[in-house]
Amino acid sequence: MLAAYRDNQHQSGSWLIWLHGLLGSADEWQPIVDLCPNYPSLRIDLPGHGASSSIDCHGFADFDQQLAQVIQHHGISQYYLIGYSLGARLAMHYACYYQTDGLCGLIIEGGNVGLNEVALRAQREKNDHQWAQRFRFEPIEIVLNDWYQQAVFAHLTANERQQLVLLRQQNNPQSVANILENTSLAKQPFLADKLSELSIPFRYFCGERDQKFRSVSQQYALPITLINNAGHNAHRENPHDYATALHHFLSLCG
């Protein structure tokens, strides 16, 4: 079973369930959780990451079942899903395809809704396979140095990039490679239409400097909340404003 960590568990009400991004871990949500002391929280290490590094994930439907198992194991009946990047894509798929009565709302941060063209899927599959092969066969520090040169991380300073490389090189590169391929955007269903049909409250958080995902939100008319002074990893770069936006969303949900 996926590793998960309970915070503020003696609080009543709906739980906040946190899903991190590729190369991250449940620990990265701690600053935000600390700013939400009135809500019980469950931070989850995704398959191939943190204390779940030995757990395989064979795709989105497989993760849906893994997540449902964790939620049931912890006796959680009412909850909000909060996901970043890969965690956002997994959360969106769960909400669209595996939603239970207990899901109260969905908060997505920098998540891609999918690709609706065959050519784009083929291109992405090739790209993700190339990265996966690099993680498998090259020193992880070298791969990470190149990883954080991608356009979505263009706003980072050299020092911020180096901090991320040092943090992320603790990962098992074989596990990273596997989940990178098995949950590739090329294998994700196109979710924009299903997201528009959700009956639960849904909000798309995006750093104001994250031009790629601001464009995604505009292209598909997603209900966006911009996080000031932040790029792609908004919760890491501006936790205070992120928590403020989250509290506002939750207050509207009742």
Side-chain angles (χ1 to χ4, degrees):
M1 185 184 298
L2 296 173
Y5 311 90
R6 300 163 69 101
D7 299 280
N8 309 320
Q9 58 184 311
H10 300 300
Q11 295 289 353
S12 60
S14 300
W15 285 67
L16 308 181
I17 298 180
W18 310 82
L19 305 178
H20 61 79
L22 187 73
L23 297 165
S25 73
D27 289 346
E28 301 199 4
W29 288 114
Q30 193 67 62
I32 306 296
V33 170
D34 289 345
L35 292 168
C36 301
N38 296 324
Y39 292 91
S41 282
L42 189 73
R43 297 173 292 111
I44 296 175
D45 277 333
L46 295 184
H49 295 77
S52 302
S53 62
S54 63
I55 297 179
D56 292 328
C57 178
H58 301 292
F60 289 87
D62 186 21
F63 179 78
D64 289 345
Q65 295 179 1
Q66 292 183 21
L67 178 57
Q69 181 186 32
V70 172
I71 292 170
Q72 183 180 25
H73 174 78
H74 286 272
I76 295 172
S77 59
Q78 301 287 322
Y79 58 94
Y80 294 88
L81 272 183
I82 305 164
Y84 162 65
S85 196
L86 170 59
R89 297 196 289 114
L90 293 168
M92 285 187 285
H93 188 276
Y94 182 91
C96 290
Y97 286 95
Y98 204 92
Q99 181 181 346
T100 67
D101 292 338
L103 182 58
C104 301
L106 179 66
I107 301 94
I108 296 308
E109 176 192 352
N112 201 314
V113 298
L115 305 171
N116 59 355
E117 296 180 23
V118 174
L120 291 177
R121 286 180 177 274
Q123 181 182 11
R124 181 57 180 250
E125 184 173 23
K126 179 181 178 181
N127 182 69
D128 285 348
H129 175 68
Q130 290 173 340
W131 277 113
Q133 290 296 87
R134 291 196 63 189
F135 275 111
R136 288 187 178 106
F137 298 112
E138 296 181 33
I140 190 170
E141 183 178 355
I142 292 175
V143 182
L144 290 173
N145 272 304
D146 290 342
W147 180 268
Y148 288 110
Q149 295 296 330
Q150 294 181 93
V152 72
F153 302 113
H155 66 285
L156 294 175
T157 66
N159 183 56
E160 288 169 336
R161 282 194 182 88
Q162 187 57 33
Q163 287 179 351
L164 283 170
V165 169
L166 290 172
L167 180 65
R168 306 306 197 204
Q169 66 186 21
Q170 307 303 317
N171 281 285
N172 180 329
Q174 305 303 319
S175 298
V176 169
N178 290 340
I179 194 168
L180 176 58
E181 287 195 304
N182 291 337
T183 60
S184 168
L185 191 62
K187 298 180 180 179
Q188 175 184 314
F190 181 66
L191 300 174
D193 294 339
K194 281 190 169 291
L195 287 170
S196 68
E197 298 168 357
L198 287 178
S199 59
I200 57 171
F202 163 54
R203 200 74 191 170
Y204 192 93
F205 285 10
C206 184
E208 65 170 346
R209 298 199 295 266
D210 188 349
Q211 295 303 324
K212 176 179 178 179
F213 287 98
R214 287 186 69 167
S215 296
V216 167
S217 68
Q218 292 164 359
Q219 181 178 358
Y220 299 111
L222 302 176
I224 190 171
T225 293
L226 290 179
I227 308 300
N228 294 328
N229 301 314
H232 182 56
N233 195 333
H235 69 274
R236 175 183 172 87
E237 297 170 30
N238 191 347
H240 183 271
D241 280 15
Y242 189 100
T244 299
L246 179 57
H247 280 293
H248 180 68
F249 171 83
L250 294 171
S251 70
L252 294 177
C253 296

